[in-house]
Amino acid sequence: MADPLPDTLLLVQTRRMPTGEIDGELMALDAAAGDVLGLDVIGTQLWGLAKEPVTLGAMIDWALQHYDVAREAAETDIRRFVGDLLDAGLLERAQ
């Protein structure tokens, strides 16, 4: 298993894919792969935090403030989610 993503990882939305929201859920078109990607409401909110560079730790803190979730669960789920978005090309490491 790869090392977990650090809380200090700085993330930002990529601008390579056209995106839009439908009923509070993000839809993104990956034209190169011929895929449409979708995020649920919470995923869309987390992705929205990265409109400007944001740390992974700040995303976790945001979830803890807005949802009734245990820290360990939030850390695990958001690290996995961010890893998936990095792999999908919806997030990138900010400079």
Side-chain angles (χ1 to χ4, degrees), residues 21-44:
E21 282 190 35
I22 300 172
D23 294 328
E25 296 184 355
L26 180 81
M27 302 301 288
L29 174 63
D30 183 351
D35 289 331
V36 175
L37 308 170
L39 300 180
D40 66 13
V41 172
I42 296 171
T44 299

Side-chain angles (χ1 to χ4, degrees), residues 15-87:
R15 309 280 190 239
R16 295 185 300 248
M17 285 187 222
T19 61
E21 282 190 35
I22 300 172
D23 294 328
E25 296 184 355
L26 180 81
M27 302 301 288
L29 174 63
D30 183 351
D35 289 331
V36 175
L37 308 170
L39 300 180
D40 66 13
V41 172
I42 296 171
T44 299
Q45 292 171 333
L46 287 167
W47 182 79
L49 295 174
K51 187 172 185 174
E52 300 294 328
V54 63
T55 64
L56 176 59
M59 293 175 97
I60 293 168
D61 290 341
W62 179 89
L64 292 170
Q65 291 172 3
H66 290 87
Y67 293 96
D68 183 21
V69 60
R71 175 169 283 282
E72 184 176 317
E75 289 175 350
T76 299
D77 292 347
I78 293 172
R79 280 191 173 84
R80 182 178 310 123
F81 173 74
V82 165
D84 290 347
L85 292 188
L86 286 166
D87 290 345

